[in-house]
Amino acid sequence: FLFQYHIYSYNSIGAEGARALAEALNSNSTVTSLNLEGNSINYSAVIISSGQNNTIIDNILRGSTYGIIVSSSNSTVINTILSNEIYNNSYGIYVNGSFYVNISSNTIQNNTYGIYLNSSGSIVFDNNISFGIDGIDVLGMNNTIKANTVNGSSIIAVNVSSSNNTVINNIITNDNYGIYLSYVKGVNVSDNKIDNITADGVRLVNVNDSFISNNSMVSISGDAVEIISSNNLTVVGLSNY
């Protein structure tokens, strides 16, 4: 299926009816105000494959393996995922091998993994992510994770395993680990509020040349910042209550 310059809107679609959207969005399409539940055909409610300038906005996506997939999109034109309700999927939003994805103002709840971001040059902004194993997993470079609320992650709220990313102004509460960096360099973790954490607020494992600044920690059961096998770090302005 090739969808160009189309708008798909105001439908309630179950497993069989979601087939067209589950095949692929290519370019210049808008998906809005759909209610998609339990797609069993391609395991995802909406797929963007090798496309650009698509917008997925104001949809309810639930009960699939993947709520939204963006894959192999290498364009400099942004794909936008905005103001959707995504819940009870294995992955809420799954981005793999893509550039320049804007993921903003979504409610992502009760998914096993909230946002999986194997991407470069993307922004994850102002999302409300709750009750999963990991809230946000970052595997690509040069992404910004900003002003999100992540609550109730059973393992890690924000997990960064690629270099040159920015994690700023997030609210992280009631998680196991707050922010976890591993085998990376050039990461900026600043101005986050981290509260009621079972393990460590910020954990750094084999991290180099990174900046940890002005993070507020409240009720951290482990260490506020734990540093393991890391070098050339700047840790300043830590508030730990």
Side-chain angles (χ1 to χ4, degrees):
F1 287 81
L2 175 63
F3 298 117
Q4 291 188 318
Y5 301 101
H6 281 82
I7 297 176
Y8 305 89
S9 64
Y10 297 106
N11 295 282
S12 181
I13 302 176
E16 297 303 316
R19 179 179 182 123
L21 286 173
E23 292 291 336
L25 290 175
N26 190 270
S27 297
N28 305 306
S29 296
T30 297
V31 179
T32 181
S33 304
L34 298 180
N35 187 337
L36 304 182
E37 180 174 8
N39 177 38
S40 60
I41 298 166
N42 277 338
Y43 309 105
S44 178
V46 180
I47 300 173
I48 298 173
S49 180
S50 304
Q52 63 181 13
N53 196 32
N54 296 292
T55 300
I56 303 171
I57 182 171
D58 289 330
N59 302 285
I60 299 173
L61 310 173
R62 63 188 185 275
S64 298
T65 302
Y66 304 94
I68 297 170
I69 295 177
V70 182
S71 67
S72 303
S73 178
N74 297 322
S75 171
T76 58
V77 180
I78 293 175
N79 288 299
T80 300
I81 301 170
L82 177 66
S83 299
N84 300 281
E85 295 181 23
I86 304 170
Y87 56 95
N88 295 335
N89 305 284
S90 295
Y91 289 85
I93 298 173
Y94 185 92
V95 180
N96 188 35
S98 297
F99 293 89
Y100 306 114
V101 182
N102 178 359
I103 303 172
S104 295
S105 302
N106 300 282
T107 298
I108 302 169
Q109 186 174 12
N110 290 322
N111 303 279
T112 307
Y113 298 93
I115 297 174
Y116 177 95
L117 188 69
N118 184 6
S119 172
S120 294
S122 293
I123 182 166
V124 177
F125 175 74
D126 190 37
N127 299 281
N128 193 326
I129 304 164
S130 56
F131 305 117
I133 290 177
D134 288 354
I136 304 171
D137 290 302
V138 183
L139 289 84
M141 299 174 66
N142 300 314
N143 301 291
T144 299
I145 313 301
K146 182 177 181 180
N148 302 281
T149 298
V150 184
N151 176 58
S153 303
S154 63
I155 296 183
I156 303 171
V158 179
N159 184 19
V160 179
S161 54
S162 286
S163 297
N164 301 321
N165 289 291
T166 299
V167 182
I168 57 172
N169 295 121
N170 300 283
I171 298 173
I172 295 169
T173 60
N174 303 312
D175 304 282
N176 185 37
Y177 285 99
I179 298 171
Y180 198 119
L181 310 183
S182 57
Y183 298 91
V184 299
K185 64 180 180 179
V187 176
N188 178 7
V189 177
S190 297
D191 299 304
N192 300 284
K193 296 181 179 180
I194 304 173
D195 181 18
N196 197 24
I197 300 300
T198 305
D200 301 325
V202 176
R203 185 178 175 91
L204 311 171
V205 180
N206 284 283
V207 176
N208 298 304
D209 306 313
S210 293
F211 189 68
I212 315 299
S213 172
N214 297 322
N215 297 286
S216 175
M217 311 274 187
V218 179
S219 299
I220 309 298
S221 295
D223 295 321
V225 178
E226 181 168 10
I227 300 172
I228 300 171
S229 302
S230 300
N231 298 288
N232 297 323
L233 302 178
T234 299
V235 180
V236 297
L238 174 67
S239 298
N240 183 21
Y241 301 98

